[in-house]
């Protein structure tokens, strides 16, 4: 092999690795957006994945769920149909079918499709997780909320197959939190953190459980732990500052907002205004006026 051919091969390999890493990061960001209920951001990220690969059924299924969370069943149904049409075979196609059947009120037929997906999936955790997520945001006619107990049952079945899958554990924590079961939510977020110790997301989500339980000190300690892993992790920086502001700890809130503005990756003008408010409340009127 000539040096020119070796160089070309190396460039091809590096390019492929770069794109693979970029897709992985995008998927992680999309999953985080879903966890934090930032539906529009999730739709934008996963739509980008489908543009890069139209057969990405995982992305189509997640786009559909984000639209369901927004209350738009028409666009959700279109996303599930696109997922099936893109690759009408394999276990994820059964899930696309099942979700469309749910929207049509055909529960028994949908469950049959999900069982077919389960039997074909073997140890594919992405498939098992998507089966459970079918019940995250769909509200059946006559019901007032999603069937999260059913989602939890399906996630437990998935975890019995592989108890170390990060996304499945995070899903379980989310489902239990939304049902008001703080103990099980915390347990699953802790497991997720132990299997992915460099990710700040499970620590952030664990903090939200403690906040809901009115355990402020444990909420703050988890936000601090998430920030220690990534000092530019905006969700934790903002959550900490907002909590200190809401609990009227003005000096600490001021310092937390300053840290958010200095280090955060996704700072918005509302963060700056909150910092200006803190400057005013801590009697730094010139600083507040200058910032405004």
């Amino acid at each position: 092999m000539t040096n020119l051919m070796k160089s070309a091969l190396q460039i091809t390999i590096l390019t492929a690795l770069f794109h693979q890493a970029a897709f992985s990061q995008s998927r992680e960001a999309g999953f985080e957006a879903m966890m934090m209920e930032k539906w529009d951001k999730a739709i934008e990220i996963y739509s980008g994945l489908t543009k890069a690969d139209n057969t990405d059924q995982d992305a189509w299924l997640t786009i559909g769920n984000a639209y369901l969370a927004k209350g738009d069943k028409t666009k959700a149904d279109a996303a599930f149909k696109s997922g099936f049409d893109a690759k009408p075979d394999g276990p994820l196609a059964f899930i696309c079918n099942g979700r469309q059947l749910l929207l049509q009120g055909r529960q028994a037929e949908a469950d049959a499709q999900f069982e077919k997906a389960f039997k074909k999936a073997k140890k594919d955790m992405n498939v098992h997780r998507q089966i459970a997520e079918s019940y995250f945001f769909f509200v059946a006619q006559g019901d007032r909320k999603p069937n999260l107990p059913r989602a939890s049952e399906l996630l437990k079945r998935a975890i019995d197959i592989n108890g170390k899958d990060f996304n499945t554990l995070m899903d379980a924590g989310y489902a239990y939190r939304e049902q008001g079961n703080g103990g099980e939510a915390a347990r699953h977020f802790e497991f997720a953190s132990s299997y992915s110790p460099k990710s700040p997301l499970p620590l952030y989500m664990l903090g939200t459980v403690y906040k809901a339980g009115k355990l402020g000190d444990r909420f703050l300690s988890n936000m601090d732990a998430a920030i220690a892993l990534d000092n530019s992790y905006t969700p934790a920086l903002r959550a900490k500052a907002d909590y200190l502001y809401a609990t009227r700890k003005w000096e600490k809130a001021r310092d937390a907002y300053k840290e958010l503005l200095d280090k955060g990756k996704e700072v918005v003008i509302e963060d700056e205004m909150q910092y200006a408010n803190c400057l005013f409340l801590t009697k730094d009127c010139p600083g507040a006026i200058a910032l405004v």
Side-chain angles (χ1 to χ4, degrees):
M1 183 182 290
T2 67
N3 289 334
L4 181 61
M5 291 176 66
K6 288 181 180 178
S7 297
L9 179 59
Q10 289 172 346
I11 291 171
T12 300
I13 293 171
L14 288 172
T15 302
L17 290 173
F18 173 80
H19 285 300
Q20 183 179 10
F23 284 140
S24 176
Q25 290 172 358
S26 294
R27 203 172 296 278
E28 289 174 7
F31 183 78
E32 180 174 301
M34 291 295 289
M35 281 280 116
M36 295 185 181
E37 301 180 348
K38 296 181 178 179
W39 315 124
D40 291 330
K41 181 177 180 180
I43 290 168
E44 179 183 355
I45 292 170
Y46 283 104
S47 293
L49 292 173
T50 61
K51 289 176 182 176
D53 177 8
N54 188 57
T55 66
D56 190 338
Q57 290 174 303
D58 176 74
W60 283 117
L61 284 164
T62 308
I63 291 168
N65 262 4
Y67 276 122
L68 277 182
K70 285 167 62 72
D72 193 333
K73 291 185 177 180
T74 300
K75 288 186 178 179
D77 184 68
F80 299 145
K81 184 179 185 303
S82 294
F84 177 83
D85 291 343
K87 193 176 179 181
D89 58 357
L92 289 174
F94 288 122
I95 300 174
C96 291
N97 267 341
R99 291 194 187 177
Q100 286 192 282
L101 289 166
L102 283 179
L103 290 171
Q104 296 167 25
R106 297 156 68 182
Q107 178 75 55
E109 293 173 73
D111 285 337
Q113 291 291 304
F114 296 145
E115 280 305 307
K116 287 181 180 179
F118 179 80
K119 290 175 181 177
K120 281 188 171 288
K122 296 183 180 178
K123 294 186 178 181
D124 187 336
M125 294 307 296
N126 186 51
V127 173
H128 294 303
R129 176 177 57 81
Q130 285 287 7
I131 293 170
E133 285 186 4
S134 300
Y135 294 96
F136 264 29
F137 308 107
F138 168 71
V139 180
Q141 187 173 1
D143 291 345
R144 301 176 65 180
K145 54 186 179 182
N147 191 354
L148 287 171
R150 177 60 175 155
S152 295
E153 290 173 9
L154 292 167
L155 287 166
K156 183 179 183 304
R157 184 169 69 167
I159 291 169
D160 286 343
I161 294 170
N162 179 358
K164 297 182 180 181
D165 184 71
F166 177 78
N167 286 8
T168 305
L169 289 167
M170 292 297 294
D171 265 8
Y174 178 88
Y176 282 119
R177 188 193 70 173
E178 294 303 294
Q179 294 173 77
N181 189 338
E184 282 299 303
R187 189 167 73 91
H188 284 84
F189 287 139
E190 286 170 353
F191 282 148
S193 183
S194 69
Y195 294 127
S196 188
K198 293 183 179 181
S199 173
L201 177 60
L203 294 170
Y204 172 88
M205 296 299 291
L206 182 57
T208 67
V209 175
Y210 289 126
K211 183 180 179 183
K214 302 186 185 305
L215 299 172
D217 288 345
R218 299 193 76 173
F219 164 78
L220 289 172
S221 67
N222 275 279
M223 293 303 142
D224 284 337
I227 294 166
L229 288 176
D230 180 356
N231 67 3
S232 63
Y233 191 61
T234 308
L237 289 166
R238 182 179 293 121
K240 176 183 177 180
D242 287 347
Y243 179 82
L244 292 169
Y245 185 88
T247 53
R248 304 172 70 84
K249 296 178 175 64
W250 309 128
E251 288 81 8
K252 290 183 178 180
R254 175 200 60 204
D255 296 343
Y257 279 117
K258 182 66 165 59
E259 185 179 13
L260 167 61
L261 296 181
D262 288 345
K263 299 177 181 178
K265 296 175 184 175
E266 300 175 344
V267 173
V268 295
I269 193 169
E270 288 80 7
D271 299 326
E272 296 179 295
M273 291 304 297
Q274 284 291 74
Y275 179 52
N277 288 334
C278 289
L279 291 175
F280 177 77
L281 290 165
T282 54
K283 305 188 187 310
D284 183 358
C285 292
I289 292 169
L291 182 58
V292 172

